[in-house]
Amino acid sequence: MISLNVNGKTMTVDVEPDTPLLWVVRENLGLTGTKFGCGIAQCGACTMLINGQATRTCVFPVSAAEGLDITTIEGLSEANDHPVQQAWQELEVPQCGYCQSGQILSAVSLLSQNPNPSDEDINIQMMNICRCGTYPRIRKAVHRASELWNNAAANLETKGANV
Ligand code: FES
Ligand code: FES
């Protein structure tokens, strides 16, 4: 049995230790927002956050995820209102949508490490493939998410200072 911490909940699964985390999350836990694309760590459709880092889970053995914090698109926010999700909705980024949970979680990972990324930073860090070619909207949405995220952080600081 393998114990996983997914979206803040502890879940136990009975699977082979080398099963890719993507399969376990989709098939055993029923969280299908994360997609299968290539299966060889090339496309990023399977991206989840593991301890806050964007991770390609089609090649990540489930046993290596024990004890780590796993976040899937389902657990990013309760009301789909994380700053990155807000920006994605505002700029209507998705076309078919297949790659977008991975794109959103990659953007969360990027902005956690670099709250004000340049176009070049985005081009370097946002390497997930989008067959619909939504890259220009993704770039704009990352900038917009950065604004929303920084504003939210500033508001929290102001509230803290006023308490
Ligand atoms: S499905 Fe994992 S990188 Fe493509
Ligand atoms: S929106 Fe269709 S693959 Fe990215």
Side-chain angles (χ1 to χ4, degrees), residues 19-51:
T19 311
L21 180 61
L22 174 65
W23 267 249
V24 175
V25 166
R26 285 181 55 85
E27 303 295 329
N28 298 77
L29 305 183
L31 298 170
T32 55
T34 313
K35 303 302 183 196
F36 170 73
C38 63
I40 51 169
Q42 295 294 306
C43 73
C46 61
T47 302
M48 296 176 203
L49 297 179
I50 298 187
N51 283 359

Side-chain angles (χ1 to χ4, degrees), residues 94-100 130-132 134:
Q95 190 163 318
C96 79
Y98 197 81
C99 72
Q100 297 293 334
C130 174
R131 293 179 66 113
C132 300
T134 62

Side-chain angles (χ1 to χ4, degrees), residues 8-152:
K9 293 186 190 134
T10 302
M11 304 181 181
T12 305
V13 287
D14 185 7
V15 292
E16 293 297 321
D18 60 351
T19 311
L21 180 61
L22 174 65
W23 267 249
V24 175
V25 166
R26 285 181 55 85
E27 303 295 329
N28 298 77
L29 305 183
L31 298 170
T32 55
T34 313
K35 303 302 183 196
F36 170 73
C38 63
I40 51 169
Q42 295 294 306
C43 73
C46 61
T47 302
M48 296 176 203
L49 297 179
I50 298 187
N51 283 359
Q53 296 278 335
T55 305
R56 295 189 169 180
T57 59
C58 64
V59 292
F60 196 93
V62 65
S63 55
E66 260 194 306
L68 307 180
D69 288 325
I70 301 160
T71 305
T72 69
I73 191 68
E74 291 90 347
L76 185 57
S77 65
E78 285 192 8
N80 295 330
D81 58 354
H82 183 284
V84 174
Q85 289 170 304
Q86 286 181 42
W88 248 245
Q89 288 165 38
E90 197 177 303
L91 294 170
E92 299 183 345
V93 174
Q95 190 163 318
C96 79
Y98 197 81
C99 72
Q100 297 293 334
S101 63
Q103 304 284 6
I104 287 170
L105 292 177
S106 296
V108 172
S109 180
L110 164 63
L111 290 168
S112 308
Q113 293 154 42
N114 178 358
N116 295 295
S118 63
D119 277 348
E120 197 186 352
D121 295 334
I122 296 169
N123 291 345
I124 291 169
Q125 295 290 325
M126 297 287 294
M127 294 292 289
N128 289 5
I129 292 171
C130 174
R131 293 179 66 113
C132 300
T134 62
Y135 304 111
R137 293 203 294 278
I138 287 173
R139 199 177 306 117
K140 276 188 197 156
V142 172
H143 286 301
R144 177 64 180 139
S146 159
E147 280 174 16
L148 293 167
W149 198 328
N150 290 331
N151 289 346

